[in-house]
Amino acid sequence: MKTGLVILREQAGHETGSHPENANRFPGVLDRLGEDSMKHDLPILESREALVEDLLRAHTEYHVENVRAAAENGPTWLDGDTVASPHSYEVALRSAGASLVAVDAVTGPEKSADSLFAIIRPPGHHATADRAMGFCLFSNAAVAARYAREQLGIDRVAVLDWDVHHGNGTQDILYDDPSVLFVSFHQWPLYPGSGWIDEVGVGEGRGFTVNLPMPPGSGDLEHIEGFNAIAGPILDQFNPGLLIVSAGQDGHVADELASQNLTAAGYHGLAQASAEFAASRGIGLVALHEGGYNPNTLPLLDHAIYAGIGGFAPDLAGDAPAPETEEIGWHERLVQIRRIQSAYWAV
Ligand SMILES: [Zn+2]
């Protein structure tokens, strides 16, 4: 499976100061994934700026203009935890644009890779159609999904979001759209508060939003079980022409923004399962970086994902140990998820 990276050289231009989502998250990641790329002879592509028309497939004109103007006059707080600084608009265009570079490269007869991992910030999955929130300016995943649909003519696109927070923005944009399946694993309850099992889509989009709210304390086992029992079978039945992964690593046991117990092996397993699904269908896979806020562990976690989608052996030495498994109510939750989803899918 040929994989590679899309990188955003201008990422430090989105200045957020001492905020958890800051320019210091990625230097260590890029060093480690750069070594992997050299060792396995994998391509490293450069981002490009998305066009305003690309953003407008997912966002309102009001929102795009609001972010542009806020950045120009920045630093400005767009919500309680989302800042725009003078170069944030350009960097956000490149963050979304990196997603489009990745989609272009893994699709079509001229495709140059089976999968690509875009190391991008600002992240995207909390940005709704008309507002920035939760460190996110534009929903890179929704922009990429709509581009694949409308620009490349791919009939069905799936978005799998394993960031520890619910991808409320991506869900909001795609909620009534039956051509894009949105599947989210997230800790519940946790910011932003949405993502309960009964949020399944609306109108023609009913049944095409799949939420797996994971109890606090969930780790590798629960996530892999959730993939095998719910996400995998639904992806199979939906039969997409492209798989987009919103890859946030803030569910790691050593990440302080949540209380999940995933390890590097768990992220490797999720990435590998996603890549095996894509390979079994002969479709492209694009992983877009979302959260992950411990700069000491993020290089290892992103390496685990890169190895998982690329099919090379990971080196997971140095990972933090997961605590002993406790009874957290996961099996009862899985029964509830299955009961809701069985109205739409064979699960
Ligand atoms: Zn997150």
Side-chain angles (χ1 to χ4, degrees):
M1 290 188 283
K2 188 171 179 193
T3 192
L5 299 177
V6 186
I7 61 169
L8 206 180
R9 291 192 191 278
E10 300 80 2
Q11 63 98 11
H14 175 51
E15 289 178 29
T16 57
S18 59
H19 191 283
E21 199 296 288
N22 62 58
N24 295 326
R25 292 169 66 222
F26 285 165
V29 168
L30 292 171
D31 283 350
R32 178 115 194 214
L33 303 194
E35 281 171 26
D36 290 336
S37 301
M38 195 152 8
K39 186 172 167 193
H40 300 284
D41 195 22
L42 302 173
I44 300 179
L45 309 184
E46 302 279 339
S47 69
R48 62 174 163 88
E49 278 195 4
L51 305 173
V52 169
E53 68 183 75
D54 295 319
L55 301 182
L56 293 179
R57 294 190 193 99
H59 295 282
T60 62
E61 253 181 284
Y62 162 83
H63 173 62
V64 174
E65 176 53 24
N66 193 34
V67 172
R68 192 200 61 74
E72 191 175 83
N73 300 312
T76 309
W77 290 90
L78 288 161
D79 85 342
D81 50 24
T82 313
V83 69
S85 51
H87 298 292
S88 293
Y89 180 66
E90 283 80 6
V91 179
L93 287 181
R94 287 196 163 268
S95 186
S99 315
L100 306 184
V101 167
V103 170
D104 279 333
V106 304
T107 54
E110 310 277 293
K111 72 176 195 170
S112 58
D114 299 307
S115 64
L116 284 170
F117 190 4
I119 308 302
I120 52 176
R121 60 179 290 275
H125 75 152
H126 294 307
T128 70
D130 63 1
R131 66 177 284 217
M133 66 181 274
F135 320 165
C136 300
L137 301 179
F138 303 121
S139 173
N140 302 315
V143 169
R146 285 272 163 80
Y147 174 83
R149 286 275 304 113
E150 293 174 28
Q151 198 68 15
L152 305 182
I154 296 174
D155 289 340
R156 287 175 307 283
V157 177
V159 178
L160 171 66
D161 184 328
W162 68 54
D163 187 283
V164 77
H165 303 97
H166 181 234
N168 64 297
T170 306
Q171 172 173 300
D172 169 74
I173 293 163
L174 303 171
Y175 210 47
D176 62 354
D177 185 348
S179 69
V180 186
L181 177 75
F182 178 64
V183 181
S184 177
F185 287 87
H186 45 275
Q187 182 183 320
W188 197 92
L190 188 68
Y191 178 89
S194 52
W196 184 238
I197 53 175
D198 59 357
E199 294 171 27
V200 295
V202 72
E204 289 186 356
R206 210 169 157 75
F208 296 95
T209 292
V210 178
N211 280 305
L212 293 100
M214 309 298 286
S218 296
D220 298 349
L221 189 78
E222 290 81 5
H223 284 81
I224 294 294
E225 270 186 22
F227 189 97
N228 290 337
I230 305 290
I234 293 177
L235 283 169
D236 254 331
Q237 291 161 63
F238 181 67
N239 190 23
L242 172 69
L243 176 60
I244 296 170
V245 174
S246 264
Q249 284 62 265
D250 40 6
H252 185 247
V253 61
D255 198 296
E256 292 183 353
L257 266 68
S259 35
Q260 299 302 56
N261 293 330
L262 277 151
T263 70
Y267 284 109
H268 180 258
L270 286 171
Q272 202 172 32
S274 305
E276 280 169 7
F277 169 75
S280 74
R281 297 296 171 126
I283 64 172
L285 185 160
V286 167
L288 307 178
H289 213 292
E290 298 281 0
Y293 301 102
N294 183 336
N296 298 321
T297 52
L298 200 53
L300 171 66
L301 303 179
D302 287 345
H303 159 77
I305 289 164
Y306 198 26
I309 64 173
F312 59 87
D315 174 4
L316 305 183
D319 196 12
E324 295 278 306
T325 310
E326 284 178 51
E327 178 45 52
I328 53 174
W330 160 242
H331 286 108
E332 294 80 355
R333 181 64 50 79
L334 183 56
V335 168
Q336 291 176 299
I337 296 168
R338 184 177 271 128
R339 179 171 51 74
I340 293 278
Q341 291 302 327
S342 62
Y344 310 100
W345 308 97
V347 287

